[in-house]
Amino acid sequence: MTQFHAHRWIILALLLGAVAAVAGGVYRLGYRQALDSLAERSAADLALASDRVTTQLQVYQELAVLMADHPTLKRLDRAEARVAAQGLLREVADKTAALDVFFVDRAGRVVVAAEGVMGRDVTQSSYFHRAMQGALGTGYGVLQPDGRRAYIYAAPDFDVDGRVRGALVVVADVEDVEQTWRGSLPAVFFTNRGGEVFIANRRELLFWQRSAEGPGLSPPDGRQVALRAWMEGPHEIWDLRWSPYLPERALHQAVNLPQIGMVGEILVDVAPAQRLAGLQAAAMAAIVLALGAMLALALERRRTLAEANTVLESRVAARTRALSATNMRLTREVQERQEAEAALKRAQQDLVQAGKLSALGQMSAGISHELNQPLMAIQQYAENGEAFVARGKPERAGENLGRISQMAGRMARIIKNLRAFAHNESEPMGRVDLGQVIASAIELTEPRLRQDRVDLIWQPPAEPVFAWGGEVRLSQVFVNLINNAADAMLEQEQREIRIAIETREGEGGARLAVSVRDIGPGLKEPEKIFDPFYSTKAVGSSEGMGLGLSISYGLVQSFGGHIRGVNTGDGAEFTVELDRWRAQGGTDTQQQDEVA
């Protein structure tokens, strides 16, 4: 047991070490990736700030260049001209928010000025010497005594002979330039050639000095601060804990701006990158811990299962023996059920056949009469033909022979329909001419209808109407419906049956509907008419057992059709709906497979 616990503690220590290693690697990788993304955004911010500063200062540069050769500044040797020029310069300074706009001659003396903030002599300034060389002079500094920061542009003014006669100087207010972007970005500042912060979007950074000992800035009050910087991949990180106005750790980036003679720099807080990397490391550590815990649980579970496996094996063996006995019993039950289903199917087939024979029994008297009449007529025509032959009238004898042939054909047609109706159909379903099936059913029931004085109204279709089903079984359905309609009207004087074929639209498309309608008393219980052994005839009647409609219902269902019976108000109407036959692939067998 002691060894087992020691082994467990070793595994736990290894797991924690692996978690720490994975978390550290994920933190470093995530931190590098976050710094890359942060560097891209900070570079864009720095470029935006630099563009703002240079663009706003460029306005004053263009002002100096455009105003240098203004006609008002050409003649400043007279007092009234200087007054007019001073008014012009003041107007320009007011409109552009410049600290001052003034004109100096070649000796560096201020001839005329809007405000006079630069004094009367600028011969010691670098921007003046640059302008006297015929180029655009620039400079910056802090104005005394108010301490305002100024950026200066000096544009030379050329005489007609091409010599420089003076320069127009525009003094821009740096604080006014800062107002448009102060506080909208991370800490952004611009250092001059001496390393001093001259422009910044954080006022507390102004006049800080770049340290000569390394990266970082020193405050203007001369305090000594600890400077620490290092490279994180390609990125420079500054430790700025010595300043309450800057992030503790910041990503530093710089860009040289030769057009204004400064260096643009930005400090972006890396705390979000550290938090993101920490979250990634924590998530990975949690995942590894979870996987380790799952692995430990799996090992523990495996050990427990191994112990339980021995017990389960004996139980499984006993259960297997019990299941084998149960399986043998179920096999016998399945076999018995299959035999019962086969017997039921045979009984259903026998029941259908019995229904046919029952219908034939009911029609036997009329059919016998139908066959007896042609036989008597054949006998009579045969005797007449013999007499005509004896008298030497062969043409009259031929007429009698033709009539005998017609009578024989009629008898053959009746017998053919009887044989087809009594046949136990086993052929697969296919295309059936619905009009021909109804005509065959009418021909079988015609003797009985004539005997009971039932009028049958039926208009055969002009063209074949093909349905999907079995010819013999459909014939039995319509024979049953015609006989039931005739039985319903036996107790009344007027007897009429109407049969019609129409096309109806349904959810599955167009279907064929055959309606058999009588003018009898109607259905007493429409919801029970298709129940087996349901009949409205007297108990003990020999006319039926109430199976005809039940058999018809099953036959129509086997074709994928539907049969229903309703009261119309002046009788009953039975409707048989069947699928229209559609050739798909060219054969009936293929459509049979699709329906199945």
Side-chain angles (χ1 to χ4, degrees), residues 100-152:
D100 199 3
V101 181
F102 59 93
F103 187 86
V104 297
D105 58 13
R106 289 184 54 84
R109 296 188 300 271
V110 177
V111 179
V112 61
E115 301 293 339
V117 298
M118 300 300 292
R120 305 301 301 174
D121 190 351
V122 294
T123 55
Q124 302 301 320
S125 60
S126 60
Y127 59 84
F128 170 72
H129 292 288
R130 180 68 173 166
M132 291 301 100
Q133 296 173 2
L136 179 67
T138 60
Y140 45 80
V142 179
L143 302 182
Q144 299 299 331
D146 55 4
R148 285 186 294 180
R149 290 165 292 141
Y151 198 94
I152 304 168

Side-chain angles (χ1 to χ4, degrees), residues 189-268:
F189 55 93
F190 298 85
T191 56
N192 55 26
R193 296 182 181 89
E196 184 183 45
V197 177
F198 191 73
I199 303 175
N201 65 346
R202 301 288 191 275
R203 177 174 290 274
E204 58 271 12
L205 288 177
L206 289 176
F207 307 119
W208 284 49
Q209 188 73 31
R210 182 179 293 279
S211 175
E213 300 176 0
L217 299 173
S218 299
D221 55 7
R223 287 178 297 148
Q224 297 296 323
V225 295
L227 302 176
R228 193 165 67 94
W230 63 92
M231 299 299 294
E232 191 70 43
H235 308 297
E236 182 180 356
I237 307 298
W238 284 13
D239 188 348
L240 304 174
R241 299 181 186 181
W242 40 265
S243 173
Y245 308 108
L246 298 174
E248 293 185 356
R249 288 185 179 180
L251 172 68
H252 173 259
Q253 288 185 307
V255 59
N256 191 27
L257 302 174
Q259 60 270 38
I260 61 174
M262 295 187 182
V263 176
E265 302 181 57
I266 188 171
L267 294 172
V268 183

Side-chain angles (χ1 to χ4, degrees), residues 27 37 48 61 75 95 99 133 136 155 162 175 180 191 204 256 271 285 287 289 320 363 375 387 448 466 500 568:
Y27 178 84
S37 178
L48 177 61
Q61 171 187 332
R75 297 181 178 275
K95 290 182 178 180
L99 290 177
Q133 296 173 2
L136 179 67
E175 185 172 352
T180 60
T191 56
E204 58 271 12
N256 191 27
I287 293 173
L289 278 175
T320 301
M363 297 184 295
L375 285 173
R448 183 264 173 91
F466 295 114
T568 61

